[in-house]
Amino acid sequence: MRVLVAEDERPLAELLATGLRRAGFAVDTVHSGDAALDHLGLHPYDVLVLDRDLPRVHGDDVARRLVAEGSPTRILMLTAATATEDRVTGLDLGADDYLGKPFEFPELVSRVRALRRRSARAALPPLLERYGLRVDTVRRTAVRDGRDLDLSPKEFSVLQILLEADGAAVSAEELLDRAWDAHADPFTGAVRVCMSKLRAKLGEPALIRTVQGVGYQL
């Protein structure tokens, strides 16, 4: 759902972020190991796309720190070194997956999605069904009572979070934290606007209710 890209080559970092956003993820980018650790301490990321050769704090040390802290964030390590021993070393450091440069972008997206499904937060089945809704988190399709819902990536993410809450109310702050990137302005009303569009697409009878002073509940 939320991804941090730690890559010191800025054009590549922006290319990765743009592609991952188009695939439906909320993405932040940093260009050094210390910046990666700072962001990881502030936000709950599902997946870290980690370049191994980062400045200031090496990617290996970032991975070691996450593992030592018991972080639930999954690590996809990127590196130009593709020899078997390098791959083994990266995995031994605690990376959950390893991808050598250059790589095909669809493979990267597929691996990030697979890691997200394995994360502690995603301990639910990939097919979520409730109240006539059928949401496939792998194929990223949503249907209500047999009717396809043409959801934007952001609307799909919000609906998925509400379904995973299993009837509990989800605050606007949590939705903003999990479905938007770090640059989202909490005062723009982005959650409210997205929720309004999502409700319209879901149709009647209404499925999402506002819990005053708490958040939103499916």
Side-chain angles (χ1 to χ4, degrees):
M1 197 77 69
R2 189 165 187 176
V3 179
L4 177 64
V5 173
E7 167 61 62
D8 66 326
E9 295 181 29
R10 292 174 182 262
L12 177 57
E14 291 309 312
L15 183 65
L16 294 174
T18 299
L20 288 168
R21 288 181 186 124
R22 287 174 179 167
F25 296 99
V27 185
D28 297 323
T29 58
V30 292
H31 310 294
S32 64
D34 56 340
L37 290 172
D38 288 344
H39 274 64
L40 289 160
L42 291 172
H43 305 290
Y45 292 100
D46 296 288
V47 177
L48 167 64
V49 178
L50 177 65
D51 179 44
R52 193 169 180 185
D53 297 315
L54 289 175
R56 294 203 285 273
V57 177
H58 196 273
D60 290 359
D61 294 322
V62 174
R64 287 192 188 98
R65 180 86 66 86
L66 286 183
V67 172
E69 294 174 352
S71 171
T73 301
R74 299 289 184 173
I75 303 171
L76 172 59
M77 189 171 279
L78 301 180
T79 181
T82 57
T84 300
E85 56 268 27
D86 295 306
R87 191 159 53 246
V88 170
T89 300
L91 295 172
D92 284 346
L93 287 168
D96 298 281
D97 201 355
Y98 192 98
L99 190 59
K101 300 176 184 178
F103 51 81
E104 295 294 329
F105 196 80
E107 181 180 5
L108 173 71
V109 171
S110 178
R111 289 181 183 233
V112 169
R113 283 181 175 155
L115 288 178
R116 196 271 170 191
R117 291 195 297 272
R118 287 166 51 191
S119 70
R121 186 182 292 151
L124 294 169
L127 189 62
L128 304 173
E129 296 183 87
R130 199 169 294 118
Y131 311 121
L133 286 171
R134 183 182 177 90
V135 173
D136 189 325
T137 62
V138 178
R139 295 181 176 85
R140 296 188 69 78
T141 58
V143 175
R144 182 180 185 186
D145 297 327
R147 175 175 59 88
D148 290 333
L149 303 173
D150 184 21
L151 303 182
S152 70
K154 197 68 67 184
E155 292 160 359
F156 186 96
S157 295
V158 168
L159 180 59
Q160 181 178 344
I161 292 169
L162 291 174
L163 278 166
E164 290 179 345
D166 196 23
V170 181
S171 68
E173 291 77 11
E174 182 178 352
L175 288 170
L176 195 67
D177 202 35
R178 292 180 58 187
W180 276 262
D181 61 37
H183 300 291
D185 185 344
F187 302 106
T188 60
V191 173
R192 178 176 49 79
V193 171
C194 180
M195 197 65 68
S196 176
K197 292 179 179 179
L198 178 58
R199 281 170 162 156
K201 290 183 179 181
L202 289 174
E204 297 294 336
L207 290 179
I208 301 172
R209 78 182 186 99
T210 300
V211 182
Q212 196 65 33
V214 179
Y216 302 93
Q217 183 181 48
L218 191 66

